[in-house]
Amino acid sequence: MVIRYPNGQNYKPASVKKSRKNNNVIFGNRGMSLEEELNQSNTYYLHREIAVVHKKPIPIQLVQVDYPKRSAAVIKEAYFKQASTTDYNGVYHGYYIDFEAKETRSKTSFPLNNFHEHQVEHMKACVRQGGICFTIIKFCATQELFLLPVATLLKYWDNQGHGRKSIPKKVIATTGFPIIYHVQPLVPYLACVDKLIENLHTTKGVSHE
Amino acid sequence: MVIRYPNGQNYKPASVKKSRKNNNVIFGNRGMSLEEELNQSNTYYLHREIAVVHKKPIPIQLVQVDYPKRSAAVIKEAYFKQASTTDYNGVYHGYYIDFEAKETRSKTSFPLNNFHEHQVEHMKACVRQGGICFTIIKFCATQELFLLPVATLLKYWDNQGHGRKSIPKKVIATTGFPIIYHVQPLVPYLACVDKLIENLHTTKGVSHE
């Protein structure tokens, strides 16, 4: 059976995504999707009482649900709905954090068609409310991870009509923060969030517990 | 076909929930569930750029998904999973807010079995991170709404072994804040959240933008 993502793209098991060109580099996390890596990291942060961040469930439109006697309800017909928000949100040191996690096979840039309009609108709305928004981008070919602040995304997003439809990797590396795979947690992205919070204070003079 | 909630309870259409004893009282929102009322209010808050609060989708365990040619993916077998968090969260004036919405037919108290252990644990974790947590309780018989701060819930929850398994309505009315149905938004709960934020500042001396 061919398995596909809700958007119709073919599902490729994570192992297939490994770059075969970098066999000389060893990474402990090989074979895990970015989502699995982040879920594991969020569980670590939760148990250590460092932050409370969860991935939101996939939105589903229920059509038919059966209730067999003495057993659990079974969904017999349902459809995937497009999410109206980003995938991850939560609270860290009193701050609301909100982000998307995206993988790309591109080696030189991050294509903007990885985002939906409503996800970007959601991020803009969160920023207006003082939330901390960003994207975690994984370049699968090199297994490189970056935390990209929302400002860079919005700059390229809003300029799509006039220019390129992707963010160059160079720009991501300079305006974003590299996340180096670690053991506990596997993806220590909150260290980068600390920097975003520092910048927030420097630029706005916000005092916050 | 008998329709049931994921927890096995029978589904009663909202109209059935109306109190027949209060026919002399007119409420514009009659027939709407608390969830619908809150979704409508959150949409208002979102469009007016007052807050970004969303209800999380119901978590589902997918088992079988079909991909008919030229049409959308169809979920053919799936099961409801128990949520590991509360239903609503978002950002308001830089604060992380997180809450559950519960309806009860009881006239004198709010039964604690409306909550699952993990929901309460989630609220405790959010509070430790500086989030603002509460429950919106609707007494269906009288169509009364209260915002109950998390402190009261935790006090009764943690004391269940030694005492009563519900929170008296009197306690909810004195430690919580009544929410009066309005037009725009229908459930103006953020006015009560403002009071929670004020209290936070008074007791902790927190400075926050």
Side-chain angles (χ1 to χ4, degrees):
Chain A
M1 191 182 81
V2 181
I3 303 174
R4 288 200 187 83
Y5 282 110
N7 66 4
Q9 279 189 335
N10 277 3
Y11 168 72
K12 297 270 171 65
S15 56
V16 176
K17 288 180 181 170
K18 288 179 189 172
S19 162
R20 287 163 199 275
K21 289 183 183 164
N22 284 300
N23 283 339
N24 54 332
V25 186
I26 296 162
F27 294 98
N29 59 307
R30 280 288 174 97
M32 235 190 249
S33 71
L34 180 56
E35 181 182 325
E36 289 167 324
E37 292 169 1
L38 285 171
N39 288 348
Q40 203 180 93
S41 307
N42 286 334
T43 302
Y44 172 86
Y45 284 137
L46 182 66
H47 289 169
R48 288 294 183 98
E49 300 188 1
I50 295 168
V52 182
V53 180
H54 289 275
K55 184 175 188 293
K56 291 186 188 174
I58 306 165
I60 304 274
Q61 180 67 55
L62 295 176
V63 176
Q64 193 200 333
V65 183
D66 281 4
Y67 299 88
K69 274 186 187 170
R70 293 166 204 274
S71 38
V74 191
I75 298 162
K76 300 299 279 182
E77 188 185 350
Y79 296 88
F80 295 104
K81 285 199 292 188
Q82 207 171 56
S84 53
T85 66
T86 49
D87 274 355
Y88 298 85
N89 75 357
V91 58
Y92 170 57
H93 284 189
Y95 290 94
Y96 173 81
I97 65 173
D98 194 296
F99 62 99
E100 265 300 310
K102 301 283 190 189
E103 291 176 298
T104 181
R105 286 155 174 270
S106 162
K107 290 173 185 173
T108 53
S109 66
F110 176 74
L112 288 168
N113 62 10
N114 274 287
F115 278 96
H116 297 291
E117 178 77 34
H118 49 86
Q119 290 179 318
V120 178
E121 289 308 316
H122 171 74
M123 284 199 181
K124 285 180 182 176
C126 290
V127 167
R128 279 194 294 265
Q129 283 302 321
I132 293 175
C133 299
F134 51 89
T135 307
I136 294 178
I137 297 173
K138 181 174 179 173
F139 287 94
C140 294
T142 55
Q143 296 274 315
E144 281 174 290
L145 275 184
F146 293 96
L147 182 146
L148 184 73
V150 71
T152 308
L153 172 67
L154 295 186
K155 188 181 149 193
Y156 278 81
W157 181 267
D158 289 337
N159 205 34
Q160 273 185 96
H162 307 93
R164 52 182 301 158
K165 309 239 182 281
S166 65
I167 310 175
K169 190 175 168 185
K170 274 188 298 187
V171 173
I172 293 171
T174 49
T175 66
F177 304 94
I179 308 173
I180 311 299
Y181 279 109
H182 194 71
V183 182
Q184 294 276 38
L186 189 54
V187 180
Y189 68 93
L190 287 181
C192 304
V193 173
D194 286 336
K195 289 176 194 162
L196 292 182
I197 293 172
E198 271 174 42
N199 292 349
L200 202 71
H201 287 209
T202 325
T203 51
K204 284 193 179 173
V206 177
S207 161
H208 193 126
E209 196 200 40
Chain B
M1 191 182 80
V2 180
I3 303 174
R4 289 199 186 83
Y5 282 111
N7 66 5
Q9 280 188 335
N10 278 5
Y11 169 72
K12 298 268 172 65
S15 57
V16 177
K17 286 179 183 170
K18 287 179 189 173
S19 161
R20 289 165 199 275
K21 288 182 184 163
N22 284 299
N23 283 339
N24 54 331
V25 187
I26 296 160
F27 294 98
N29 59 305
R30 281 286 175 98
M32 235 191 246
S33 71
L34 179 57
E35 182 182 324
E36 289 167 324
E37 291 169 1
L38 285 170
N39 288 348
Q40 203 181 93
S41 307
N42 287 333
T43 302
Y44 172 87
Y45 284 137
L46 182 67
H47 290 167
R48 287 293 183 99
E49 301 189 1
I50 295 167
V52 183
V53 179
H54 288 276
K55 184 177 187 291
K56 293 187 188 173
I58 305 166
I60 303 275
Q61 180 66 55
L62 295 176
V63 177
Q64 194 202 331
V65 183
D66 281 4
Y67 299 88
K69 273 186 188 169
R70 294 168 202 272
S71 37
V74 191
I75 298 162
K76 301 298 280 182
E77 189 185 350
Y79 296 88
F80 295 103
K81 288 199 291 187
Q82 206 171 58
S84 54
T85 65
T86 48
D87 274 354
Y88 298 85
N89 76 357
V91 58
Y92 170 57
H93 284 190
Y95 290 94
Y96 173 81
I97 66 172
D98 194 297
F99 62 98
E100 264 301 308
K102 302 282 191 190
E103 291 176 298
T104 181
R105 287 158 173 265
S106 161
K107 290 173 185 175
T108 53
S109 67
F110 177 74
L112 289 167
N113 63 10
N114 274 285
F115 279 96
H116 297 293
E117 179 76 35
H118 48 87
Q119 291 179 317
V120 179
E121 288 308 317
H122 171 74
M123 284 200 180
K124 285 181 181 175
C126 290
V127 167
R128 279 194 294 266
Q129 283 302 321
I132 293 175
C133 300
F134 51 89
T135 308
I136 294 178
I137 297 173
K138 180 174 179 175
F139 287 94
C140 295
T142 54
Q143 296 272 317
E144 281 174 289
L145 276 182
F146 294 95
L147 183 146
L148 184 74
V150 71
T152 308
L153 171 68
L154 296 184
K155 188 181 148 194
Y156 276 81
W157 181 267
D158 290 337
N159 204 33
Q160 272 184 99
H162 307 92
R164 53 182 300 157
K165 309 240 182 283
S166 66
I167 310 176
K169 190 176 168 185
K170 275 188 299 188
V171 172
I172 293 170
T174 50
T175 66
F177 303 94
I179 308 173
I180 310 299
Y181 280 109
H182 195 71
V183 182
Q184 292 278 37
L186 190 53
V187 180
Y189 68 92
L190 287 180
C192 303
V193 172
D194 286 336
K195 290 177 194 162
L196 292 181
I197 293 171
E198 271 174 42
N199 291 349
L200 203 72
H201 286 209
T202 325
T203 51
K204 283 192 179 173
V206 176
S207 161
H208 194 125
E209 196 201 43

